[in-house]
């Protein structure tokens, strides 16, 4: 559907077009300020003190001072090179925006301005050698350090050129410059692809998807159907990449939500370019059935009730350019597959970009169709299927993720037991993320730009995740396993295991979700005595319940490694001991204020601390809270219940053979604990063979 058709049919499209036009007018009133210098590496656009991305104003004509949100002022390299990346990308986006306004209004001023940006880059690109300042590990570009960045930038300019041509704009004398530019881009992208696929033997890389996208755009411009078909069906082409770069459960092979979106967006560009040459690819599949629709379905599964995507492994927590990528990808998928389950992700992306969950901006006018709420009942057949995506628990076994959901339940959980994730993986096996009805209660923290030392020192480390740390050291890179997964009318049960986190260590995490609460029973067994830490991070943890006292304990647990970023605030001590166990209770609150009670059953060796740690990756300096439950020995058990904040659960150990079994020392016999919540009592029985079960008393 042409943009002029959308504005004639939909009110939102008229409003968005007006918004885009108004944004461009002040830019067009001044001469172009496109930098001559090539860009660097955007990941270095980060404050070395606060580890927050530096501020960027696309209307700033030039910059030699770069400011962080906390007021730090930085100069010179590598910040200038990173700023240049942002600037070149912003001009490519402005060019596409102006072409879209031309398509909607017919005002030739916007076409001329858009074309002037294209032609300026066409003149500059031949002057760039292979970037001499790119780091040795990089797949090198010309206009940027990385060929990957170049491919992304190129697709925006290619789409700009195509949109202008679609609307009847003629470049006349400028066409030879564009032909040279696109021919050089083709040569550069082809060479980079050869290095990646043949010399480095990494055809599954997310880079491959983007090199394919850029080349597909060039072939579409040149009307070269044979080359585009080879790019679809040949080695490392779309079909092959779907097979090797996406798991059978439709998740991108690195297990990183961001790179899942990143790769799917590139796939959609290839599909778009192929359609220009009469090749239909929306139904394309990999050898294990991997599909574009399946990849979108997985995105919906990995979002909470608000539509916020979990930040598994490397990837930003929230970032405006990322929200744009989500909006583009979901708009395209929604227009094709029409599933209502995609709508919350789209609304959340627009909320992050513009403050309201409504269509606005370039992605809306280019890719949006119909009214957003219209998808909720537009297709009677799609609606039940979409509801089934999020109405129950899900196991993504090839990727190693399990999602626990109960229809109408208070909580949902996301747990990671799968492969490490390669260069984008975290040391986070058996990590637990919690979501309430209003958002994340225990989020994945995401990843800062790679230029920050905290990428490796904190955000990839085990201590920043909700799992077990032994002797304050991160886990080894390894793959866990799924022992058991059941879903019944009474609850969802997942038994996850790790044998590779530490030498001589076995970790077993049992998660049992009912409609009202979640039981988290985490067992640790070691060959030698150690300090065993159980972590839970949350936007806010408050000591609001009776049953113990918190004493001030301000300080650091270590000046080395990830623990150097942890600051303890207070330590919990029980007020009473009754031989059946002691329960520490805190309230967890998400950003929307929803509260959940966390009840942790302590052992004789337990220490429990409230601490502050770096926050989510969008703003590390805005600290969040952490609960550290520490035990010592060769065996330990951490038994925790999460429930409605108005009624924290009570837990106590039950007798076994006339004794109270010590946590972690059952000698192979079943262990049991009693859980009291509201007017009910349940016995949770853990058997080393059968796993965890509940018995209503």
């Amino acid at each position: 559907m042409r943009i002029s058709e959308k504005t004639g049919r939909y009110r939102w499209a008229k409003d968005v077009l007006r918004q885009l036009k108004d944004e461009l007018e002040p830019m067009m009133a001044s001469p172009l300020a496109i930098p001559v210098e090539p860009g660097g590496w955007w990941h270095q656009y980060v404050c070395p003190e606060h580890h927050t991305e530096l501020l960027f104003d696309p209307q700033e004509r030039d910059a030699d001072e770069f400011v962080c949100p906390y007021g730090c002022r930085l100069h010179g390299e590598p910040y200038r090179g990173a700023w240049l990346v942002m600037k070149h990308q912003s001009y490519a986006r402005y060019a596409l925006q102006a072409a879209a306004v031309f398509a909607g209004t017919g005002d030739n001023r916007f076409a001329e301005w858009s074309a002037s940006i294209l032609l300026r880059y066409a003149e500059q690109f031949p002057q760039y050698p292979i970037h001499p300042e790119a780091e040795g590990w990089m797949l090198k570009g010309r206009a940027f350090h990385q060929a990957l960045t170049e491919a992304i930038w190129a697709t925006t300019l290619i789409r700009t050129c195509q949109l202008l041509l679609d609307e009847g704009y003629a470049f006349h004398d400028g066409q030879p410059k564009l032909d040279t530019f696109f021919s050089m881009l083709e040569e550069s992208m082809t060479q980079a692809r050869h290095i990646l696929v043949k010399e480095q033997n990494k055809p599954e890389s997310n880079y491959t998807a983007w090199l394919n996208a850029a080349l597909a755009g060039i072939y579409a411009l040149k009307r070269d159907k044979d080359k585009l078909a080879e790019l679809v069906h040949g080695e490392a082409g779309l079909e092959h990449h779907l097979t090797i770069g996406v798991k059978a459960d439709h998740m991108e092979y690195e297990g990183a939500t961001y790179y899942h979106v990143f790769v799917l967006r590139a796939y959609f560009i290839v599909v778009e370019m192929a359609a220009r040459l009469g090749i239909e690819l929306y139904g394309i599949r990999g050898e294990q059935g991997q599909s574009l629709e399946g990849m979108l379905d997985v995105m919906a599964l990995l979002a909470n009730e608000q539509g916020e995507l979990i930040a598994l492994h490397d990837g930003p927590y929230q970032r405006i350019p990322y929200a744009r990528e989500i909006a583009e990808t979901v708009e395209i998928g929604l227009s094709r597959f029409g599933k209502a389950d995609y709508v919350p992700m789209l609304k959340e992306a627009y909320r992050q970009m513009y403050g309201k969950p409504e269509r606005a901006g370039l992605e809306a006018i280019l890719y949006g169709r119909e009214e957003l709420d219209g998808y909720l009942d537009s297709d009677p057949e799609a609606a039940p299927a979409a509801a089934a995506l999020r109405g129950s628990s899900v196991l993504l076994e090839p990727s190693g993720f399990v999602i626990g959901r109960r229809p109408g339940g208070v909580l949902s959980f996301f747990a990671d037991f799968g492969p490490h994730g390669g260069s984008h993986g975290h040391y986070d096996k058996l990590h637990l993320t919690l979501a309430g009805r209003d958002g994340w209660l225990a989020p994945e923290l995401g990843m800062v730009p790679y230029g920050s030392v905290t990428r490796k020192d904190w955000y990839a480390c085990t201590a920043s995740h909700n799992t077990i740390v032994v002797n304050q050291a991160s886990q080894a890179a390894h793959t866990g396993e799924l022992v058991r997964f059941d879903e019944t009318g009474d609850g969802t049960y997942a038994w996850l295991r790790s044998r590779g986190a530490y030498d001589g260590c076995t970790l077993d995490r049992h998660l049992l979700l009912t409609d009202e609460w979640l039981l988290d029973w985490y067992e640790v067994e070691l060959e030698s005595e150690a300090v065993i830490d159980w972590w839970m991070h949350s936007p806010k943890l408050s000591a609001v319940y009776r049953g113990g006292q918190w004493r001030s304990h301000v300080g650091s647990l270590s000046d080395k490694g990830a623990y150097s970023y942890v600051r303890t605030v207070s330590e919990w001590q029980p007020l009473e001991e009754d031989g059946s166990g002691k329960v520490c209770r805190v309230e967890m609150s998400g950003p929307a204020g929803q509260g959940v009670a966390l009840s942790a059953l302590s052992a004789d060796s337990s220490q429990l601390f409230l601490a502050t740690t770096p926050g989510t990756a969008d703003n590390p300096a805005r600290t969040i809270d952490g609960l550290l439950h520490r035990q010592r020995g060769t065996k330990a058990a951490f038994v925790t219940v999460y429930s409605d904040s108005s009624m924290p659960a009570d837990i106590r150990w039950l007798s076994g053979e006339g004794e109270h079994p010590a946590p972690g020392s059952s000698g192979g016999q079943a262990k049991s604990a009693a859980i009291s919540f509201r007017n009910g009592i349940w016995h949770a029985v853990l058997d080393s063979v059968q796993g965890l079960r509940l018995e209503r008393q």
Side-chain angles (χ1 to χ4, degrees), residues 447-675:
M447 180 51 67
V448 292
Y450 298 163
S452 168
V453 297
T454 60
R455 181 197 182 213
K456 293 183 178 179
D457 292 352
W458 176 252
Y459 287 95
C461 293
T462 309
S464 71
H465 294 83
N466 303 323
T467 187
I468 291 293
V469 180
V470 175
N471 287 335
Q472 298 190 2
S474 280
Q475 299 174 358
H478 72 292
T479 301
E481 60 182 293
L482 175 74
V483 181
R484 185 175 163 189
F485 175 74
D486 294 319
E487 184 167 26
T488 68
D490 295 326
T492 300
Y493 173 49
W495 179 358
L496 314 177
R497 175 175 288 163
S498 159
R499 288 192 174 101
Y502 303 95
D503 290 341
C505 174
T506 298
L507 306 176
D508 283 286
R509 191 164 207 166
H510 303 265
L511 299 165
L512 206 164
L513 178 66
T514 74
D515 294 343
E516 295 186 303
W517 43 266
L518 169 66
L519 172 59
D520 173 12
W521 193 320
Y522 205 144
E523 294 265 320
V524 182
E525 186 168 351
L526 299 162
E527 290 181 351
S528 57
E529 189 167 312
V531 176
I532 305 165
D533 289 344
W534 176 98
W535 273 104
M536 177 56 64
H537 300 272
S538 181
K540 186 177 181 181
L541 293 170
S542 305
V544 296
Y545 303 114
R546 298 179 62 186
Q549 61 180 344
W550 291 91
R551 293 182 177 178
S552 177
H553 189 289
V554 179
S556 174
L557 295 173
S558 175
D559 60 357
K560 297 179 181 179
Y563 276 68
S564 66
Y565 291 91
V566 176
R567 295 292 178 269
T568 58
V569 175
S570 56
E571 181 177 4
W572 179 82
Q573 293 184 340
L575 291 176
E576 297 179 1
E577 298 185 22
D578 60 7
S580 62
K582 300 155 285 187
V583 181
C584 171
R585 300 180 180 90
V586 296
E587 183 181 48
M588 305 173 63
S589 301
Q594 180 200 16
V596 166
L598 181 160
S599 302
L601 181 56
S602 68
D604 289 340
S605 69
S606 288
Q607 287 181 284
L608 290 104
F609 299 95
L610 282 179
T612 60
T613 73
T616 50
D618 57 319
N619 192 351
R622 185 179 57 212
T623 59
I624 64 172
D625 294 337
L627 177 65
L628 170 59
H629 185 172
R630 171 171 288 179
Q631 296 182 30
R632 292 172 171 83
T634 58
K635 295 183 179 181
F638 300 89
V639 182
T640 311
V641 175
Y642 312 88
S643 60
D644 188 292
S645 62
S646 64
M647 182 66 66
D650 185 50
I651 324 168
R652 60 187 177 88
W653 291 111
L654 291 173
S655 298
E657 299 296 326
E659 298 178 355
H660 299 293
S665 61
S666 63
Q669 299 176 358
K671 296 185 234 179
S672 60
I675 300 169

Side-chain angles (χ1 to χ4, degrees), residues 330-365:
V330 178
E331 285 282 23
I332 293 171
L334 186 62
S335 68
R336 179 66 188 190
F337 305 116
K339 290 187 177 180
D341 224 55
Y342 304 158
V343 173
M345 294 187 292
L346 194 54
K347 288 186 172 182
E348 173 61 20
Y350 285 124
R351 186 199 65 76
Q352 290 182 26
M353 288 189 284
Y354 300 105
K356 295 189 295 184
E358 301 171 4
R359 277 198 174 108
L362 185 57
E363 286 70 28
I365 202 69

Side-chain angles (χ1 to χ4, degrees), residues 139-140 147 187-197 211:
L139 191 65
K140 299 179 182 180
E187 180 183 0
S188 182
M189 296 293 100
T190 301
Q191 183 180 16
R193 191 175 185 272
H194 175 83
I195 293 170
L196 182 66
V197 173
L211 296 172

Side-chain angles (χ1 to χ4, degrees), residues 173-215:
D173 294 344
Q175 190 63 51
K177 294 179 181 179
L178 287 177
D179 292 342
T180 299
F181 174 40
F182 291 130
S183 292
M184 288 191 68
L185 266 176
E186 179 182 0
E187 180 183 0
S188 182
M189 296 293 100
T190 301
Q191 183 180 16
R193 191 175 185 272
H194 175 83
I195 293 170
L196 182 66
V197 173
K198 295 294 188 181
E199 297 181 17
Q200 298 182 4
N201 193 29
K202 297 178 180 177
E204 74 283 355
S205 170
N206 61 74
Y207 289 29
T208 308
W210 276 98
L211 296 172
N212 287 347
L215 286 169

